[in-house]
Amino acid sequence: MSPNSTSPLVGSPPAAATSGAEPAVRLRDLRKSFGQVHAVDGVDLDIAGGEFFSMLGPSGSGKTTVLRMIAGFQLPTSGTVELDGRDVSRAAPFQRDVNTVFQDYALFPHMTVLGNVEYGLRVKRVPKAERRERALQALRSVRLGEHGDRKPSQLSGGQRQRVALARALVNRPKVLLLDEPLGALDLKLRQEMQLELKQIQREVGITFIFVTHDQDEALTMSDRIAVFNQGRIEQVGTPAEVYEQPASPFVAGFVGTSNLLSGSNAEAVIGRPGVYSIRPEKIRIDADLDRGAALGETSAAGTVTDAVYAGASVRYEVSLDAGARLSVVRPNSGTSDVDHPAGSKVRLVWRDEHSFQLTEADR
Ligand code: ADP
Ligand code: MG
């Protein structure tokens, strides 16, 4: 799938973060093949110091393999990895100023929390007093300063995850790699940890590279997101850029739900050929069929085929007279269940810029 001209393949970090300095991480035409499988198929990326950067994509899209090549656990088939301007493509993991937090944060069960955090420093023969001070500081930064004497079994899942984080932070790496670190937590705890982790990252100021397949998580936490598909990056941008201006049908479909209009449907509704994405929450639904679209708006008539009450919102499926089907999500501002039950004739209205063109029309 070839990205169009509006999709920045090499994500440019925020200008302020890069002025004068090398990016914390720079990947150039990075590739990794396992036999016939091109797990990573030409990735270019610049990540600035202090960024919270997410790699988002479905399972098998190459995220973990990219992370492992940054860490040095896997060597590229071709291409380069630079850290702070230094080519480390062939360097061993211990020669790189990065640490990794995995999802299955295996803590030593027989050691205290403090012992777990100190362990790496002990291996590096850091003197005892310094080791203790740094471990306590790392525990305080993840808000577990009071829990150093406990055993991992005496902590909640979220607390154990934070111990794993402290164990990486204690090494004071330039870059922290996190591979689906919240995947084992239930939804409510995961949402709490998302905010917590973002807060911790701001405080410690370390570059975080965060791998997830969860689009909500990426949108909530990141300064910028790279969207992966089949070993390649389809788009790099801020959460709002990726959500509001998806560069390809894949991004539009993977990040949030999206309606696509194309072919004769696009010609009939938009008035031009091309492929257009419209987010369900951008569409108004109007029972007044006679009121046309205002200046700068697009409208289309149709029939509600399905109305699903979901508490805070209501989702409608609408079959347009012009032939396409659009999903519409409205906040539930009414007092009954749905305002437009199945079978209702309705008019859909949205601002012109919300039918976002994904690709140039074939002519
Ligand atoms: P993700 O983290 O996005 O789920 P991965 O980087 O783990 O994706 O995997 C990308 C592709 O590479 C998948 O098709 C996977 O099966 C394959 N792959 C990853 N590691 C290996 C390996 N060690 N040997 C063979 N194939 C692998
Ligand atoms: Mg993975």
Side-chain angles (χ1 to χ4, degrees), residues 34-273:
F34 301 102
Q36 296 301 309
V37 178
H38 302 299
V40 177
D41 200 14
V43 163
D44 291 284
L45 200 57
D46 285 359
I47 299 172
E51 261 198 289
F52 196 118
F53 191 93
S54 291
M55 296 183 179
L56 171 68
S59 174
S61 58
K63 309 177 299 290
T64 293
T65 306
V66 169
L67 215 61
R68 290 173 62 81
M69 287 192 281
I70 297 173
F73 299 131
Q74 218 137 42
L75 294 181
T77 303
S78 66
T80 55
V81 176
E82 286 179 26
L83 298 175
D84 258 336
R86 191 168 67 92
D87 188 336
V88 296
S89 309
R90 306 268 135 197
F94 69 88
Q95 294 169 313
R96 307 181 186 205
D97 201 358
V98 302
N99 266 96
T100 307
V101 177
F102 299 98
Q103 181 181 322
D104 50 355
Y105 35 85
L107 302 174
F108 298 117
H110 59 285
M111 284 187 199
T112 63
V113 165
L114 190 65
N116 267 280
V117 176
E118 268 188 330
Y119 180 78
L121 299 178
R122 215 164 74 206
V123 171
K124 288 187 197 160
R125 299 183 186 284
V126 174
K128 184 163 184 183
E130 182 188 343
R131 187 165 95 203
R132 177 91 0 147
E133 178 49 39
R134 278 172 64 178
L136 274 171
Q137 194 189 344
L139 275 178
R140 281 195 294 268
S141 74
V142 299
R143 322 199 204 304
L144 287 175
E146 311 299 310
H147 293 69
D149 296 334
R150 295 210 191 165
K151 292 284 174 56
S153 60
Q154 296 169 301
L155 300 178
S156 69
Q159 288 172 328
R160 281 204 286 272
Q161 180 59 55
R162 279 185 282 159
V163 176
L165 185 61
R167 203 169 48 176
L169 289 174
V170 79
N171 296 310
R172 296 175 182 160
K174 268 277 184 37
V175 177
L176 196 64
L177 308 175
L178 303 103
D179 196 351
E180 313 238 5
L182 308 181
L185 307 177
D186 65 47
L187 180 63
K188 195 158 163 50
L189 187 54
R190 201 161 78 217
Q191 288 172 338
E192 280 171 29
M193 277 299 290
Q194 288 168 5
L195 300 177
E196 187 100 325
L197 201 56
K198 174 77 191 159
Q199 184 67 32
I200 291 169
Q201 188 267 343
R202 272 201 212 101
E203 287 167 16
V204 297
I206 292 174
T207 308
F208 275 31
I209 304 181
F210 186 90
V211 163
T212 181
H213 65 268
D214 182 328
Q215 41 118 359
D216 286 329
E217 196 158 279
L219 291 172
T220 307
M221 301 176 74
S222 318
D223 294 320
R224 288 190 308 149
I225 300 170
V227 183
F228 277 70
N229 181 27
Q230 300 187 343
R232 296 182 191 194
I233 294 176
E234 295 239 348
Q235 187 172 10
V236 181
T238 63
E241 283 167 354
V242 168
Y243 187 79
E244 303 289 344
Q245 297 164 34
S248 67
F250 175 82
V251 175
F254 191 73
V255 183
T257 40
S258 195
N259 295 296
L260 292 184
L261 282 176
S262 62
S264 59
N265 294 328
E267 298 231 26
V269 176
I270 311 282
R272 289 187 309 275

